[in-house]
Amino acid sequence: AADHAAPDGSAAALRAAIDEAAAAPDENVKPYVPAPCVSEYAKAQGNFNATFGLPAITEQMLRIVRAEGPVAEDLLFARVLEEWGFKQISDNRLKVLRKAVPKTLLSTVHLKRRTYWPAGADPAEWRTCRVPGDDPRSRRTFAQIPFEEFAAAFDSLSRSAPGLFSSGDADAPLRAAMETFGLPPRLSADARQFLEAALRASKSFAKDQK
């Protein structure tokens, strides 16, 4: 599907609204802190298989989710491969990764995107969106940001920049949420569907607080 950039006439208004939100810090907006990269696995890439590697990979996943959770499956798998020294995923590596996912991990799924949660976390109560910091590893792709974080971003924007939601431009909140996470404000059909679902979910937050 083709991407849709912000119309020229709304770009300035969108920028002003995002700047407004940034000028009114929300306690639910926090920097993303990536787990330290443990590079020892790169010494034994031949062990990345379902025969020898599963215990190590499972331990890795538990450690990463404890440090970064909630963490989208796309990012969790990327972190594991990074520590093993692999630059790309392959069908065989993907099979190993899926088999190694700890069965004790709580997960949520929205529009086929899975997120893993650390022990003690309640997805229904999650209200935090985590934004990029100085560490390059704190920058996440669209696919690496949990649904619940996008919902939290919409909730934060509704308080800090309410004009986004009354501007008459239905895409303005969606683009602002993308920029909140340091992403280009472009909307593919899949991204729009995902963001609109997260926006609907965020509308229940205020009700829950009453």
Side-chain angles (χ1 to χ4, degrees), residues 107-174:
S107 69
T108 53
V109 180
H110 295 277
L111 297 177
K112 299 182 180 181
R113 185 184 301 189
R114 186 176 297 275
T115 295
Y116 296 101
W117 297 79
D122 182 352
E125 297 297 325
W126 184 264
R127 298 292 184 269
T128 302
C129 62
R130 298 169 295 176
V131 299
D134 295 333
D135 187 336
R137 296 176 70 245
S138 70
R139 300 190 67 86
R140 295 174 289 173
T141 67
F142 180 77
Q144 293 175 344
I145 300 172
F147 177 89
E148 291 82 359
E149 278 197 69
F150 273 113
F154 285 122
D155 180 57
S156 174
L157 287 166
S158 71
R159 294 190 304 275
S160 61
L164 283 169
F165 300 82
S166 58
S167 67
D169 180 359
D171 286 346
L174 310 186

Side-chain angles (χ1 to χ4, degrees), residues 36-64 75-89 93 96-97 100 137:
C37 180
V38 179
S39 60
E40 63 196 43
Y41 301 100
K43 299 176 182 178
Q45 290 185 350
N47 287 335
F48 194 93
N49 55 60
T51 303
F52 302 107
L54 291 186
I57 299 169
T58 296
E59 180 278 328
Q60 275 181 280
M61 290 181 174
L62 286 170
R63 170 173 50 79
I64 293 167
L75 180 57
L76 176 62
F77 289 179
R79 293 285 197 241
V80 171
L81 293 175
E82 177 188 21
E83 293 190 347
W84 282 81
F86 293 119
K87 302 297 184 183
Q88 296 179 334
I89 196 167
R93 289 170 192 161
V96 173
L97 288 164
R137 296 176 70 245

